[in-house]
Amino acid sequence: MKIRFKFLTRISNILLMSIVLAGIQAFVVPGIACAQQALPKIGTEQLKKITNESSELEALIVRATPQSITQARAQIGASPYLSDPDKVVLDAIAHGVSLLVYGTKDVRFAVPPGAQGASTKYITCLVGLIDAFSGEVPQVFQNTTYSTMSEFISSLAFFRASRNETREQALAALARFEALGSVSAVSMLIRGQIALESKQYDDAVKNFQKALDLDPQSQKAACGLARSFVALGKPEDAKKALDPIVAQASLSAEFKSLYGMSLYSLNSVLDAESWFAGALKDDPARTDVLVPLASAAMQRRDYPAASRYLESASKTASRDRTWLVLKSQYALENSRQSDAERFARSAVRFFSKDPVAIAQLIRALQKSADQTKHLEAVDLAKAVLDLTNGQDAEFTPFEQAQRAQARDTALQFLVSESYSHQDWVSAANYIQQAGSATLDKEMVATILRKSGNMQAAVQFASSWYAQDPNSEQAVEAYLRSLAMATGGGLASAAPASDASTGLGIALSALGVNQGGSANSAMLEMVVKFIAAPFSKELKSFLYYMSASLQNDEDKAIGQLKDALAERADNVEALVSLASMYLNRYNRQLDKSDTINRDKALRYLTQAKALNPTENDLRARISELESQIKR
């Protein structure tokens, strides 16, 4: 207020001096008539040039693009016709328009020295501009005739107005200005801003695009256009609007934030991070970039940084879905299951139909030891599948990726739960829906085999082994699937519906034609694996498998004992030994000799003591127990 008061006082003094000078001139005209006759007269042609130049400069100023204002200031400085005071004031007006339209809200407008002696018209415009900077419609134009400059400057109050009444007055001035036929970026920027605020995003796009057409290097116009496209869910178009300006030496915090948001929405989260960081550095009050920065930090597993951003955003984003999901993820990473569940439940409470929020709650519940929460998670996972069962074209690439990840989370959980409950058919069905979702390969191989999907089991295990022949889990899955297909004693829990196809694939993998001996080829392959430098765990399985392929019972028993020598808790080997000794006892004519029966019981007791979890093994143990007790 002090600056404005001083300036107005100064302007008043200038005007008063002009009046005094005019009065003095009226009294002394007769005395200086000769002197006036000696002064050079301005010719008609020169006057025309002065008038044209003034009109051209004013047109450049009211056009109000960064380019036109720069051009206007250059021409003002080089003008051969303008007086020095007029140059000072007109340059100040051009600079003030630039600050008001393109500067930050808190930028101040300095009063220029050397304004004394400027034309009344330009002094009046300068006073009006000061009012506009204060967020008020200029009063200095009230008793003047409407003109392009007066209505233009009056409309600029819109950019600083805090009251609706002032905004309406500025818009009325803008309408009068437009009726005078001048072209200005201000009209497009104001109407674009109004459309953006009222969520008329298509209208906002049209207006900001017109402003950008006037000056393709205008950051403000490009930012308005980009913000409109972001609101429409078109981040690619937003990025295209900003791309031509990226190379500018000085970029605003808003530009950096919007460019980061365009990349973020295109699911280039880590590429967006530096732009968000730049915006926050330039303007620490930009809370809109904190959650995206936290998201990027979580992707990089920089948990301290993620925590700082999340805490900084807590006051403004406590009901933001992404903030709540990230808070839950952060808690899980720090083994705080109850906090993770609390934040995830808040996200679901606020966004009950959002698959991303629901998926995070599934992750939190999955970590709980409470099985009732696992049952809740199953229902939630099925809800996610329903919510994501359709086209996501209306969502941004980031949201599409988030929804796809939510669906993967739901399917991974359902596969895992079905596996743990040994519901092989349901698990296989979820695997089929999972597509390219990341799943534990050993679990998938087991599910496909035990569900009776012979072809899928052989193809999956063969591919896994081919990709990673040094993986012991892949070796075991490969051999089990081949044994299942060739009937080598390791059959699935469910009958195979595609036995002939699966067998053909298995025989091809073994290098055996349809009439050859798959059993011999399998045994030869297993023997080669036994000779390889594998762990005791895999060696135990290989001896067990070799035993299952033997026609000689004594050799089979010997290899099962070798399997137990490698790993004493091999339940399959224990059950097989119990079965073989029980069969020997059953073949005996003299039932009083219970040596074989006792051995069967001993091995069976050992197997049972290990508490196997597989239903088919438990069923086999129960069956053998009932036979022994007869």
Side-chain angles (χ1 to χ4, degrees):
M1 289 298 294
K2 287 183 179 179
I3 292 174
R4 183 168 181 262
F5 176 76
K6 289 179 180 178
F7 178 73
L8 290 177
T9 302
R10 192 171 170 188
I11 294 300
S12 298
N13 291 337
I14 293 171
L15 291 174
L16 182 60
M17 186 175 292
S18 298
I19 294 171
V20 171
L21 288 173
I24 292 172
Q25 185 180 19
F27 284 108
V28 299
V29 165
I32 59 171
C34 293
Q36 283 185 329
Q37 289 174 0
L39 292 174
K41 294 183 179 179
I42 299 175
T44 305
E45 191 63 32
Q46 188 175 12
L47 184 62
K48 184 177 179 182
K49 288 179 180 179
I50 293 172
T51 303
N52 288 343
E53 183 186 55
S54 297
S55 298
E56 183 182 342
L57 290 173
E58 290 178 19
L60 286 172
I61 291 171
V62 301
R63 189 177 180 86
T65 67
Q67 185 182 43
S68 71
I69 291 172
T70 299
Q71 185 180 349
R73 296 188 72 184
Q75 289 185 208
I76 289 168
S79 171
Y81 304 112
L82 290 174
S83 67
D84 288 341
D86 277 356
K87 285 183 180 182
V88 169
V89 174
L90 200 53
D91 182 74
I93 291 171
H95 182 50
V97 169
S98 178
L99 292 177
L100 197 52
V101 178
Y102 300 104
T104 58
K105 287 281 187 180
D106 58 349
V107 69
R108 292 184 177 276
F109 180 46
V111 177
Q116 186 171 340
S119 70
T120 303
K121 173 184 177 182
Y122 291 150
I123 291 292
T124 304
C125 288
L126 196 57
V127 172
L129 194 59
I130 293 292
D131 282 336
F133 261 94
S134 300
E136 299 294 337
V137 173
Q139 300 299 308
V140 72
F141 299 127
Q142 279 189 342
N143 297 319
T144 62
T145 305
Y146 292 149
S147 70
T148 299
M149 286 294 286
S150 66
E151 298 310 314
F152 170 71
I153 291 173
S154 295
S155 71
L156 296 180
F158 179 91
F159 293 105
R160 291 293 181 90
S162 58
R163 295 180 298 132
N164 288 335
E165 180 184 358
T166 306
R167 276 187 142 206
E168 289 173 2
Q169 290 173 349
L171 289 173
L174 180 67
R176 292 192 295 271
F177 167 73
E178 290 171 333
L180 292 171
S182 294
V183 176
S184 176
V186 166
S187 299
M188 301 149 192
L189 293 174
I190 289 177
R191 301 208 181 280
Q193 182 61 34
I194 292 171
L196 198 58
E197 290 172 359
S198 59
K199 299 183 179 181
Q200 302 295 319
Y201 301 123
D202 288 328
D203 286 343
V205 165
K206 291 175 184 177
N207 281 285
F208 286 125
Q209 184 61 65
K210 287 179 182 178
L212 195 59
D213 289 341
L214 284 180
D215 185 353
Q217 291 297 305
S218 170
Q219 279 193 51
K220 190 178 184 75
C223 285
L225 183 58
R227 194 172 291 283
S228 305
F229 278 132
V230 168
L232 285 168
K234 298 178 177 180
E236 190 171 353
D237 289 334
K239 183 176 178 296
K240 286 179 181 177
L242 299 172
D243 275 338
I245 300 173
V246 167
Q248 284 189 16
S250 178
L251 297 173
S252 67
E254 182 184 13
F255 182 94
K256 292 175 183 178
S257 173
L258 278 169
Y259 200 76
M261 187 56 68
S262 300
L263 292 170
Y264 183 81
S265 298
L266 288 168
N267 203 32
S268 298
V269 177
L270 297 182
D271 290 337
E273 186 177 20
S274 62
W275 291 95
F276 288 133
L280 189 62
K281 182 180 178 181
D282 293 345
D283 182 5
R286 293 203 73 93
T287 57
D288 57 318
V289 304
L290 294 171
V291 172
L293 280 169
S295 181
M298 287 291 287
Q299 276 199 21
R300 292 189 292 101
R301 300 187 180 276
D302 184 352
Y303 300 120
S307 178
R308 288 196 304 273
Y309 290 130
L310 290 171
E311 288 307 308
S312 297
S314 59
K315 291 183 180 179
T316 57
S318 60
R319 289 200 173 192
D320 179 83
R321 183 211 67 188
T322 304
W323 184 85
L324 289 164
V325 168
L326 289 173
K327 286 287 284 185
S328 178
Q329 289 177 359
Y330 180 80
L332 277 184
E333 291 293 340
N334 288 275
S335 302
R336 301 202 313 268
Q337 189 278 331
S338 59
D339 286 343
E341 183 179 335
R342 175 167 58 86
F343 284 114
R345 285 195 184 280
S346 294
V348 172
R349 184 168 67 252
F350 296 137
F351 306 93
S352 59
K353 298 297 182 182
D354 189 301
V356 178
I358 298 171
Q360 183 55 33
L361 181 54
I362 293 169
R363 295 186 192 101
L365 295 176
Q366 190 174 9
K367 294 290 184 181
S368 173
D370 186 346
Q371 288 304 305
T372 60
K373 291 185 176 181
H374 280 238
L375 292 175
E376 179 188 359
V378 168
D379 291 336
L380 291 171
K382 291 177 180 177
V384 169
L385 296 187
D386 290 338
L387 289 168
T388 56
N389 187 25
Q391 296 295 323
D392 288 347
E394 69 273 23
F395 297 103
T396 66
F398 177 77
E399 278 298 315
Q400 289 177 21
Q402 292 284 91
R403 289 170 65 86
Q405 188 177 13
R407 185 176 180 84
D408 287 350
T409 295
L411 286 166
Q412 287 163 351
F413 174 74
L414 290 170
V415 169
S416 178
E417 283 295 293
S418 299
Y419 174 84
S420 65
H421 290 94
Q422 298 182 50
D423 184 354
W424 310 117
V425 175
S426 293
N429 178 52
Y430 290 130
I431 286 175
Q432 188 174 17
Q433 294 182 58
S436 60
T438 303
L439 297 168
D440 182 85
K441 290 184 177 181
E442 187 175 10
M443 181 171 65
V444 172
T446 301
I447 290 168
L448 293 176
R449 189 174 67 252
K450 289 186 174 292
S451 63
N453 290 295
M454 185 183 292
Q455 180 180 354
V458 174
Q459 286 178 331
F460 178 83
S462 299
S463 176
W464 182 15
Y465 172 67
Q467 292 172 4
D468 192 1
N470 294 319
S471 166
E472 295 192 355
Q473 292 86 356
V475 170
E476 182 174 340
Y478 178 51
L479 293 175
R480 284 186 183 275
S481 67
L482 293 179
M484 177 189 81
T486 57
L490 304 179
S492 60
S497 58
D498 54 357
S500 59
T501 306
L503 177 59
I505 297 171
L507 292 176
S508 177
L510 292 167
V512 178
N513 57 37
Q514 200 70 30
S517 173
N519 198 70
S520 298
M522 277 290 299
L523 186 56
E524 184 179 345
M525 180 182 288
V526 172
V527 170
K528 288 180 181 178
F529 277 118
I530 290 174
F534 287 120
S535 68
K536 286 181 172 292
E537 287 75 12
L538 183 59
K539 291 256 187 183
S540 180
F541 163 72
L542 292 170
Y543 280 122
Y544 159 70
M545 186 168 189
S546 178
S548 71
L549 297 167
Q550 290 287 349
N551 294 320
D552 187 317
E553 189 177 62
D554 288 333
K555 286 184 179 180
I557 289 174
Q559 289 186 326
L560 288 171
K561 290 180 178 179
D562 288 338
L564 293 175
E566 296 288 346
R567 201 188 82 196
D569 62 347
N570 188 329
V571 177
E572 289 176 307
L574 290 168
V575 172
S576 291
L577 279 169
S579 179
M580 285 185 175
Y581 281 114
L582 184 58
N583 285 338
R584 279 190 172 185
Y585 175 74
N586 289 335
R587 293 198 303 268
Q588 292 177 194
L589 295 176
D590 181 6
K591 300 299 182 184
S592 62
D593 181 1
T594 61
I595 293 175
N596 287 322
R597 182 179 176 275
D598 293 342
K599 286 181 179 180
L601 183 59
R602 184 173 74 251
Y603 284 121
L604 198 62
T605 302
Q606 291 177 28
K608 191 174 181 180
L610 291 168
N611 294 315
T613 57
E614 291 190 35
N615 290 340
D616 51 350
L617 272 177
R618 291 162 67 93
R620 181 61 178 148
I621 289 171
S622 296
E623 182 185 352
L624 290 172
E625 270 188 321
S626 64
Q627 290 179 17
I628 290 173
K629 291 177 181 178
R630 288 177 191 168

